[in-house]
Amino acid sequence: MRTIEHFRLLGQSLSQSTLAGWIKHEDSIRRTVVQNGNVAKHARKARDTAFESRLNELVSLTLNKGVVLSGDTIKLLATNAYNDLEVPIDKRFKLSNGWLENYKKRNNLRNISFHGEAGSSNPETIANERTRLIALLTGWKPCDIYNMDETALFYA
């Protein structure tokens, strides 16, 4: 049970039956690894490595800016990667939902849904407002700046 909890903490799902199967067939699995190396049975590989590399760079840059990636955003970044590499339109993959799902699997990207206030926020607006707030609060001591969500705590 500790092994399953370990994988859950890493964000991976592992069922009791899968773990039991691995333990039951441990010798066979070890022999296969020794013979073939540690190679996945169905390794997912990109067909166009230059495109995939450029797309991964664009995705990383976008994530580092704090932008939440949606499927449409990834498809837009893919179009930008094709344009950067000057790939003719007739040589491009169709950026279908199937392609998107496979790309996300290959790169371990997950769907995260934001609800409530976080789901209705525009990331660009948030970035602009943060910059504006920093400018407004310059010169104030941190102890004199209040989080308005917590002001009710002072009046309870």
Side-chain angles (χ1 to χ4, degrees), residues 60-112:
S60 293
L61 290 170
T62 304
L63 287 173
N64 288 339
K65 291 179 183 175
V67 175
V68 177
L69 289 180
S70 66
D72 290 336
T73 305
I74 294 173
K75 288 179 182 180
L76 179 64
L77 292 173
T79 302
N80 291 343
Y82 276 132
N83 293 340
D84 292 350
L85 296 170
E86 299 177 350
V87 176
I89 293 176
D90 61 325
K91 300 289 184 191
R92 299 177 182 192
F93 298 127
K94 182 179 178 203
L95 302 176
S96 65
N97 290 335
W99 169 85
L100 178 63
E101 290 305 312
N102 288 331
Y103 175 78
K104 291 191 303 189
K105 283 180 189 175
R106 277 194 308 276
N107 293 283
N108 200 24
L109 296 174
R110 299 168 187 239
N111 288 334
I112 300 174

Side-chain angles (χ1 to χ4, degrees), residues 16-33:
Q16 184 70 40
S17 61
T18 300
L19 181 59
W22 290 350
I23 292 170
K24 181 179 179 182
H25 301 290
E26 180 179 4
D27 294 335
S28 171
I29 293 169
R30 288 186 182 280
R31 277 195 305 275
T32 302
V33 169

